[in-house]
Amino acid sequence: MLKFSLITLLLAGAAHAAPFFEMQQVDHPAIASIERYTLQSPSKENIAYHGEFASAFAQGFSFAPGSGLGFKKMDRDGTVYFWATGDRGPNGDAPKVQVGDKKREAKFFLAPDYAPRFAEIKVRRQRSADVILSKPYLIDGQVASGLPLPQGRVGATGEVALSDTLKTLDASPRGIDPEGIVAGKKGQLWVVDEYGPFLLQVDAASGKVLKQLAPGAGLPDVLKHRQANRGFEAVAFTPNGKVYAMLQSTLNIDGETKSSAQFIRLVEFDPSSGATRTLAYPLDVDAYKKTGDAKIGDLVAIDNTHFALIEQGKGKDKQLRNVLYVIDIAGADTLAPIAGKEPEYASKADLANVKMIRKQRVLDLRELGWQAEKAEGLALYNGGLAIMNDNDFGLKTELASGKDVDDVVIDNGQLPNNERLVVKPSNEATELWLLNLKQPLSHYYPK
C-alpha cells in the first residue's frame, strides 16, 4: 500500500505543472520513504530544434541526463550532488532502410549536431533537484558526436542515421553513446558507452576523454559481439580502485546467442595494471520470453565485491519490470570457453559447474509506483539509493498510420504508401527518486 504525504512543491507560477518534489511514505519492508523529484534543467541547457516538427517543441528538447548517475558528494546540510550523463541525444526509432539488397537498422536523429554531455545535479533535500552545469565530452580536442561510427570502425553499429526528412546523415568518427558514469580518483570520471562498447576515462574539469578502451584494445575482444545499441550500460568504481563495466544485454556471438544466452557479462578492469576479466551475471531467465529481452539499467558498488543493480525489460507476461538486486561477485569464475565455444552457447545444465555472480532480490520499482520504462541511473548516498529514468529527451517517433516502424521499409529516401513520420512530445519527465532505506543494503547480501 502506498501513502503520500502532503509535502508537495509545485513550479512557481505554474500550478498546472507537474510537482517537482513529493515526499512519498511507503508501506514496504525495504523502503522507509521516497523523495520524488522532477529534475529541473535551465532553458540554456535545451537542445535547439528547427526541424519539420519544431511547432511541437517550441523550446527545443529539454536536456535529459538520465542515462547514468554517480554520487559526487554530500554537504553537511544533506544537500546531495550527483554526476549524470545524457546519451547520444534526441533520437527515435525508425524503419529499416533498404541499402542495396540489405535492410539496415536505422534511427532518426532530430538534432544531429548535438554533442553528448555530462552534468552535475544538485539535490536540495525535500525541495528540488536541478542541473547546475553540463559539459560536452571532448575527443581529440573536438566535441564528441552522438551519430553512429563509420562502417568498419571498432564499435560501429551498422545503423543508418536519418534526419527528420528521411535524409541519410554522415556518420562521425567521434561518435559515442554514453550510458553510465561514476567518479574515480583525482578528478576523473569513468564513463561507459553503448557503441563500442567503450570504457572512457574522462577529466571531470574539462570533459576531455583521456583514455578510450575498446574490444581488442584494452578490453576483451569477445565484447565486439555486443548487440547493436546494447553495449556497456552500467559502470561502478570500487574502493580498491577497480572499474566494473556491465553490458546492457546478452552477447550475440556470430548472430546466434542473443536470445538464448543465460547471463550478461560484467567486465572487471584494473586501471593500475590494465588486467581485465569477465564474470557472469545470471538472468531471471524464466521471467522473459527470450533472454535477449533482459536489460541492465545501472550498477553501483557497495564495497569491493558487493553491488546493487537494476535488471529490467518486458517480461513474458508483457509487463515491464525494473528489479533492484544486490549482487556478490566474490568467488565468481572468470569466464572461459566451454567445450571450445564461448559460454553464451552453453545451456543451463552446461553452466552448472560455472560459479556465477550471486544475487538477491530487493524489490521491483513498480511496487513503489515507478512508471517509467527505463531506470538507467543508480547511485548510493548516505542512507539510501538514488534512481533516475532516461526519458529519451522527451520525444517519441511513430508512423501516422499507427503501424509499427518494423512493419515498413524506407527505400530511396521514401516511406511506402504515403506513410508519414510523426514526432511528438512523450510527456515523460526526468525523475530522480531518493529511496530512504529501512536497513543498509548489507541486509540483502546473498547468503
Side-chain angles (χ1 to χ4, degrees):
M1 179 179 179
L2 303 180
K3 302 175 182 177
F4 293 84
S5 80
L6 296 178
I7 302 176
T8 301
L9 298 180
L10 293 175
L11 291 167
H16 64 281
F20 62 72
F21 170 72
E22 286 182 329
M23 175 65 83
Q24 178 179 329
Q25 302 297 333
V26 182
D27 183 11
H28 192 281
I31 308 299
S33 63
I34 305 173
E35 298 171 39
R36 296 177 52 171
Y37 301 87
T38 300
L39 185 67
Q40 305 300 304
S41 183
S43 58
K44 68 179 182 179
E45 299 287 352
N46 288 5
I47 297 101
Y49 175 59
H50 306 290
E52 292 293 298
F53 306 93
S55 61
F57 301 94
Q59 306 302 316
F61 303 112
S62 294
F63 180 42
S67 290
L69 193 67
F71 177 79
K72 182 180 181 183
K73 66 176 182 177
M74 178 182 281
D75 288 345
R76 289 183 179 180
D77 64 0
T79 300
V80 191
Y81 296 82
F82 295 100
W83 293 110
T85 188
D87 58 22
R88 60 182 172 173
N91 69 89
D93 292 335
K96 289 184 174 64
V97 175
Q98 190 75 43
V99 180
D101 59 353
K102 294 184 178 180
K103 295 179 176 65
R104 288 175 54 188
E105 297 288 339
K107 284 282 186 180
F108 292 115
F109 286 81
L110 283 300
D113 293 331
Y114 174 75
R117 61 188 195 246
F118 62 99
E120 187 176 341
I121 293 172
K122 178 180 181 179
V123 182
R124 295 184 296 166
R125 303 293 290 276
Q126 301 189 18
R127 294 194 64 182
S128 66
D130 300 278
V131 173
I132 58 173
L133 64 84
S134 77
K135 296 175 184 177
Y137 295 99
L138 302 177
I139 298 177
D140 297 330
Q142 300 182 62
V143 294
S145 170
L147 292 169
L149 291 158
Q151 286 283 83
R153 288 280 294 263
V154 173
T157 61
E159 294 171 296
V160 177
L162 298 171
S163 73
D164 56 10
T165 58
L166 278 65
K167 292 182 179 179
T168 300
L169 301 168
D170 291 335
S172 172
R174 299 187 305 281
I176 59 171
D177 187 4
E179 291 289 346
I181 189 168
V182 69
K185 295 180 178 179
K186 299 180 180 178
Q188 294 176 356
L189 303 170
W190 290 97
V191 176
V192 288
D193 156 273
E194 267 193 318
Y195 279 154
F198 300 127
L199 176 60
L200 312 176
Q201 187 181 47
V202 178
D203 176 56
S206 66
K208 181 180 179 181
V209 174
L210 305 172
K211 185 180 297 184
Q212 184 174 22
L213 304 177
L219 296 175
D221 190 59
V222 70
L223 300 178
K224 68 186 180 185
H225 296 292
R226 59 93 181 95
Q227 299 178 48
N229 293 320
R230 300 283 188 92
F232 283 145
E233 184 71 23
V235 64
F237 188 81
T238 51
N240 62 6
K242 291 183 179 179
V243 181
Y244 290 84
M246 197 163 190
L247 292 169
Q248 184 177 40
S249 292
T250 53
L251 288 180
N252 192 25
I253 299 173
D254 294 330
E256 298 173 341
T257 63
K258 71 176 183 180
S259 297
S260 58
Q262 304 287 296
F263 60 86
I264 291 174
R265 293 202 185 214
L266 174 67
V267 180
E268 177 186 278
F269 171 69
D270 185 345
S272 64
S273 65
T276 63
R277 64 180 184 131
T278 62
L279 312 174
Y281 167 78
L283 289 168
D284 299 340
V285 173
D286 294 337
Y288 304 100
K289 185 176 180 181
K290 54 186 184 300
T291 58
D293 293 336
K295 301 176 183 179
I296 297 302
D298 206 354
L299 176 80
V300 62
I302 302 170
D303 57 31
N304 288 333
T305 62
H306 296 96
F307 303 78
L309 65 73
I310 295 171
E311 178 184 328
Q312 57 191 359
K314 184 177 288 188
K316 62 184 178 184
D317 60 0
K318 298 184 179 181
Q319 299 300 308
L320 290 171
R321 57 200 310 269
N322 307 87
V323 185
L324 177 69
Y325 283 97
V326 169
I327 65 171
D328 185 0
I329 67 169
D333 288 337
T334 299
L335 286 172
I338 297 174
K341 302 184 78 173
E342 294 293 350
E344 276 78 5
Y345 285 99
S347 66
K348 184 176 181 180
D350 293 333
L351 292 167
N353 293 324
V354 176
K355 293 180 181 178
M356 295 195 189
I357 294 167
R358 295 183 297 143
K359 60 193 285 189
Q360 175 63 49
R361 186 184 189 277
V362 180
L363 55 85
D364 189 328
L365 292 175
R366 297 193 170 265
E367 298 168 10
L368 306 176
W370 182 267
Q371 296 294 316
E373 176 187 352
K374 302 176 181 180
E376 292 195 355
L378 183 65
L380 284 170
Y381 65 94
N382 252 3
L385 278 166
I387 297 175
M388 192 158 64
N389 68 306
D390 174 15
N391 77 335
D392 292 328
F393 291 82
L395 68 92
K396 58 182 177 181
T397 58
E398 56 189 40
L399 299 177
S401 66
K403 289 182 179 179
D404 191 283
V405 294
D406 290 334
D407 294 334
V408 300
V409 175
I410 296 172
D411 195 2
N412 291 320
Q414 299 291 324
L415 284 163
N417 304 320
N418 297 315
E419 186 65 83
R420 291 187 299 108
L421 170 67
V422 176
V423 182
K424 60 185 180 181
S426 67
N427 297 317
E428 179 182 327
T430 298
E431 292 192 28
L432 174 65
W433 287 21
L434 301 188
L435 306 184
N436 298 309
L437 302 173
K438 286 185 176 177
Q439 57 267 322
L441 289 175
S442 57
H443 177 82
Y444 301 98
Y445 286 176
K447 302 294 189 286

